[in-house]
Amino acid sequence: MIFNRFKFSRDIGIDLGTANTLIHVSGKGVVLQEPSVVAMDLEEGVPLAVGEEAKLMLGRTPGNIRAVRPLRDGVIADFDAAEQMIKTFIQKCNEGRGILAPRIVIGIPSGVTSVERRAVREAGLAGAREVHLIDEPVAAAIGASLPVTEPIGTMIVDIGGGTTEVAVLSLGGTVLSESVRIAGDELNESIAIYLKKVHNLVVGERTAEDIKIKIGSAFPDDEFDNTSIEVRGLHLLSGLPRSITLTSGEIREAMADPLSKIVEAVKRTLERTPPELAADIVDRGIMLAGGGALVRGISDLLSHETGIFTHIAENPLLCVVNGCGVVLDDFKKLKRVVDTPDFIRNAIRD
C-alpha cells in the first residue's frame, strides 16, 4: 500500500502568496512566514537572499543584483525565481526530514488558467515527490474552521496581496467563485498614485505599504480619521527628498476605488448564489480572510454595503496555510477538495 510509505516524510502545506509565503509542516504547525521576494546575483545566476532578507533589498540593489517578487496577481511571473524560492523555503523548514521527499499541498487562486496551474505544480516539484493544488478560498475556509464539508452554504472573501477570492462553498466543493486581481498590492499602488497626484511626492512600494498598515482604513471613523503620520519621499517639483503629514481620512479616499471593486465582486457573487445557499449566508454571515482583512474597517464596509454581517477569521493571514495543513493531516477525508493530477489519483486508488 502506498500509504504505508507516507509516514517516512514530513508533508508540507504552502500558501504561495503574492506578498508572503507561509509553510505548514505536518506535526510542527506553521514554521515559516516570509515575504515572497528573491534577490538574484545576475553574474552567477544564483539566489543571494530569499524572504525577509531579500525584501530589505527591494529598490536598493546595485546593477549586478536584482530583487524580484516572483509572483504577480497570485500567479508565477518569474518561473526561475519562484522555483528557487520554493526550493529554499522547503530546505529551510524541512531539516531532519524523513526518508522520502515530502508530499506538498499548495494554495493557489481559483481563477488561474491550466498553464498557470502547471507552472505552480512544476515549481513545487523542485523539492517534493508529489504536488497537489487547492483553491485558496477552499483552503481559507477550512483554515477558518468553516463547515465546508457539510450541506451548508458558506461565503469566504480572501483578500490577499495579488488577488481577492470570493467563493460560496458547500459539501466540500466550490458552488460559485470569483477571482479579481485587485487586492493589497492595488491598495498600495492607489496610495502611491494619490501621493504623486495630490502632494507631488514619489514613494516606493514598501513606504506605500507601511502607510496602509499604519493609518489605512476602509470605513469612516471620526476618531481614527484624524490620525496622522509623517511620510518621506522624493518631491517631484524640486527633485529633492521631502516629508509631509498625511491623515487617515486622506488614505481612505486614496483607497476608495480598489475597495469599491472588491465590494462589487462580493455583490456579484451574492447575486448569482442559489436561494437556499443565500439563506444560509444571511444566517451565518460572510467570513473575511487574508492580509487584506487586517485593513481597519473593511468588515464594516462589507456589512454596510451588503447588509450581511461580516466577521474576520481568527488569524486571517494564516487561514490558507492552516487549511493546507488540515488537508494534509486528514488527506483521505479531504482529498476531494484538492486538484490531483490523474497519475497520482490512480496511484492513491491502488
Short mmCIF file of all heavy atoms in Angstrom, two decimals, residues 16 66 75 99 133 145 155 157 160-161 168 195 219 249 254 258 268 271 282 288 322 334-335 337:
data_model
loop_
_atom_site.label_atom_id
_atom_site.label_comp_id
_atom_site.label_asym_id
_atom_site.label_seq_id
_atom_site.Cartn_x
_atom_site.Cartn_y
_atom_site.Cartn_z
N LEU A 16 1.31 29.93 -1.23
CA LEU A 16 2.22 30.64 -2.13
C LEU A 16 1.57 31.97 -2.50
O LEU A 16 0.85 32.07 -3.49
CB LEU A 16 2.48 29.77 -3.36
CG LEU A 16 3.65 30.14 -4.27
CD1 LEU A 16 4.96 30.10 -3.52
CD2 LEU A 16 3.70 29.19 -5.46
N ARG A 66 19.50 41.69 -8.56
CA ARG A 66 18.11 42.03 -8.89
C ARG A 66 17.20 41.42 -7.84
O ARG A 66 17.20 40.21 -7.63
CB ARG A 66 17.79 41.47 -10.27
CG ARG A 66 16.45 41.94 -10.85
CD ARG A 66 16.34 41.54 -12.31
NE ARG A 66 16.32 40.08 -12.44
CZ ARG A 66 15.25 39.38 -12.80
NH1 ARG A 66 14.11 39.99 -13.05
NH2 ARG A 66 15.30 38.07 -12.90
N VAL A 75 -0.17 34.71 -9.45
CA VAL A 75 0.40 33.68 -10.33
C VAL A 75 1.90 33.93 -10.55
O VAL A 75 2.39 35.03 -10.31
CB VAL A 75 -0.33 33.62 -11.70
CG1 VAL A 75 -1.76 33.20 -11.54
CG2 VAL A 75 -0.22 34.94 -12.44
N ILE A 99 12.72 10.01 5.20
CA ILE A 99 13.48 9.29 4.18
C ILE A 99 13.04 9.74 2.79
O ILE A 99 13.84 9.89 1.88
CB ILE A 99 13.25 7.76 4.34
CG1 ILE A 99 13.74 7.33 5.72
CG2 ILE A 99 13.96 6.97 3.25
CD1 ILE A 99 13.20 6.00 6.19
N LEU A 133 -2.70 20.75 -5.71
CA LEU A 133 -3.10 22.15 -5.65
C LEU A 133 -4.49 22.25 -5.03
O LEU A 133 -5.34 21.40 -5.26
CB LEU A 133 -3.12 22.76 -7.06
CG LEU A 133 -1.82 22.65 -7.87
CD1 LEU A 133 -1.99 23.31 -9.23
CD2 LEU A 133 -0.65 23.27 -7.13
N SER A 145 -12.00 27.22 9.99
CA SER A 145 -12.91 26.29 10.69
C SER A 145 -14.36 26.42 10.24
O SER A 145 -15.28 26.27 11.04
CB SER A 145 -12.82 26.48 12.22
OG SER A 145 -11.49 26.37 12.64
N MET A 155 -19.83 31.60 2.83
CA MET A 155 -19.16 32.52 1.91
C MET A 155 -17.86 32.99 2.52
O MET A 155 -17.81 33.41 3.67
CB MET A 155 -20.05 33.73 1.62
CG MET A 155 -19.43 34.63 0.57
SD MET A 155 -20.52 35.99 0.16
CE MET A 155 -20.16 36.23 -1.55
N VAL A 157 -14.38 35.47 1.77
CA VAL A 157 -13.72 36.51 0.97
C VAL A 157 -12.27 36.55 1.42
O VAL A 157 -11.98 36.93 2.56
CB VAL A 157 -14.41 37.89 1.16
CG1 VAL A 157 -13.72 38.94 0.31
CG2 VAL A 157 -15.89 37.80 0.81
N GLY A 160 -5.97 38.84 -0.55
CA GLY A 160 -4.53 38.59 -0.43
C GLY A 160 -3.71 39.79 -0.87
O GLY A 160 -4.15 40.94 -0.76
N GLY A 161 -2.52 39.51 -1.42
CA GLY A 161 -1.67 40.58 -1.93
C GLY A 161 -1.98 40.88 -3.39
O GLY A 161 -2.05 42.03 -3.80
N VAL A 168 -18.48 30.83 -2.73
CA VAL A 168 -19.56 30.23 -1.96
C VAL A 168 -19.29 28.73 -1.98
O VAL A 168 -19.13 28.13 -3.04
CB VAL A 168 -20.94 30.54 -2.57
CG1 VAL A 168 -22.05 29.82 -1.81
CG2 VAL A 168 -21.19 32.04 -2.56
N LEU A 195 -0.48 60.11 -3.65
CA LEU A 195 0.59 60.99 -3.16
C LEU A 195 1.25 61.74 -4.32
O LEU A 195 1.62 62.90 -4.19
CB LEU A 195 1.65 60.19 -2.40
CG LEU A 195 1.21 59.61 -1.04
CD1 LEU A 195 2.30 58.75 -0.44
CD2 LEU A 195 0.87 60.74 -0.07
N PHE A 219 -13.50 52.36 6.24
CA PHE A 219 -14.83 52.85 6.62
C PHE A 219 -14.67 54.08 7.52
O PHE A 219 -13.77 54.10 8.37
CB PHE A 219 -15.59 51.74 7.36
CG PHE A 219 -17.08 51.94 7.39
CD1 PHE A 219 -17.83 51.85 6.22
CD2 PHE A 219 -17.73 52.22 8.58
CE1 PHE A 219 -19.21 52.04 6.24
CE2 PHE A 219 -19.10 52.42 8.62
CZ PHE A 219 -19.85 52.32 7.43
N GLY A 249 -7.99 59.90 6.96
CA GLY A 249 -9.10 60.22 6.06
C GLY A 249 -8.63 60.32 4.62
O GLY A 249 -9.32 59.87 3.70
N ALA A 254 -7.91 57.71 -0.88
CA ALA A 254 -6.98 57.16 -1.89
C ALA A 254 -7.32 55.71 -2.22
O ALA A 254 -7.21 55.28 -3.37
CB ALA A 254 -5.54 57.26 -1.37
N PRO A 258 -10.08 50.87 -5.40
CA PRO A 258 -9.91 49.41 -5.33
C PRO A 258 -10.84 48.74 -4.32
O PRO A 258 -11.33 47.63 -4.57
CB PRO A 258 -8.43 49.22 -4.93
CG PRO A 258 -7.91 50.55 -4.56
CD PRO A 258 -8.80 51.57 -5.14
N ARG A 268 -21.58 40.80 -6.77
CA ARG A 268 -21.84 39.99 -7.97
C ARG A 268 -22.00 38.51 -7.61
O ARG A 268 -22.85 37.81 -8.13
CB ARG A 268 -20.69 40.13 -8.98
CG ARG A 268 -20.79 41.33 -9.89
CD ARG A 268 -19.87 41.18 -11.10
NE ARG A 268 -18.48 40.97 -10.75
CZ ARG A 268 -17.60 41.93 -10.51
NH1 ARG A 268 -17.98 43.19 -10.56
NH2 ARG A 268 -16.35 41.64 -10.22
N GLU A 271 -25.33 37.88 -5.92
CA GLU A 271 -26.44 37.91 -6.89
C GLU A 271 -26.62 36.56 -7.59
O GLU A 271 -27.73 36.18 -7.95
CB GLU A 271 -26.18 38.98 -7.96
CG GLU A 271 -26.49 40.40 -7.49
CD GLU A 271 -25.90 41.45 -8.42
OE1 GLU A 271 -25.48 41.10 -9.55
OE2 GLU A 271 -25.85 42.63 -8.02
N VAL A 282 -26.94 34.57 4.72
CA VAL A 282 -27.55 35.64 5.52
C VAL A 282 -27.55 35.24 6.99
O VAL A 282 -27.28 36.05 7.89
CB VAL A 282 -28.99 35.94 5.03
CG1 VAL A 282 -29.70 36.88 5.98
CG2 VAL A 282 -28.96 36.53 3.63
N LEU A 288 -14.20 36.86 6.40
CA LEU A 288 -13.08 37.55 5.75
C LEU A 288 -11.76 36.90 6.14
O LEU A 288 -11.53 36.63 7.32
CB LEU A 288 -13.03 39.00 6.20
CG LEU A 288 -13.77 40.06 5.40
CD1 LEU A 288 -13.57 41.40 6.07
CD2 LEU A 288 -13.27 40.13 3.97
N ASN A 322 -3.09 27.17 7.13
CA ASN A 322 -3.67 26.23 8.10
C ASN A 322 -4.62 25.26 7.42
O ASN A 322 -4.69 24.08 7.77
CB ASN A 322 -4.41 26.99 9.21
CG ASN A 322 -3.46 27.59 10.23
OD1 ASN A 322 -2.32 27.14 10.35
ND2 ASN A 322 -3.90 28.58 10.97
N LEU A 334 -10.31 14.53 3.04
CA LEU A 334 -10.42 15.81 2.33
C LEU A 334 -9.79 15.81 0.94
O LEU A 334 -9.67 16.88 0.34
CB LEU A 334 -9.80 16.92 3.19
CG LEU A 334 -10.55 17.28 4.47
CD1 LEU A 334 -9.71 18.17 5.36
CD2 LEU A 334 -11.87 17.97 4.17
N LYS A 335 -9.37 14.64 0.45
CA LYS A 335 -8.66 14.65 -0.85
C LYS A 335 -9.56 15.11 -2.00
O LYS A 335 -9.07 15.49 -3.06
CB LYS A 335 -8.01 13.31 -1.14
CG LYS A 335 -8.94 12.17 -1.44
CD LYS A 335 -8.12 10.90 -1.72
CE LYS A 335 -9.06 9.73 -1.94
NZ LYS A 335 -8.43 8.47 -1.62
N VAL A 337 -11.12 17.83 -2.12
CA VAL A 337 -11.03 19.29 -2.31
C VAL A 337 -9.75 19.69 -3.04
O VAL A 337 -9.60 20.84 -3.43
CB VAL A 337 -11.14 20.07 -0.97
CG1 VAL A 337 -12.41 19.75 -0.26
CG2 VAL A 337 -9.93 19.86 -0.08
#
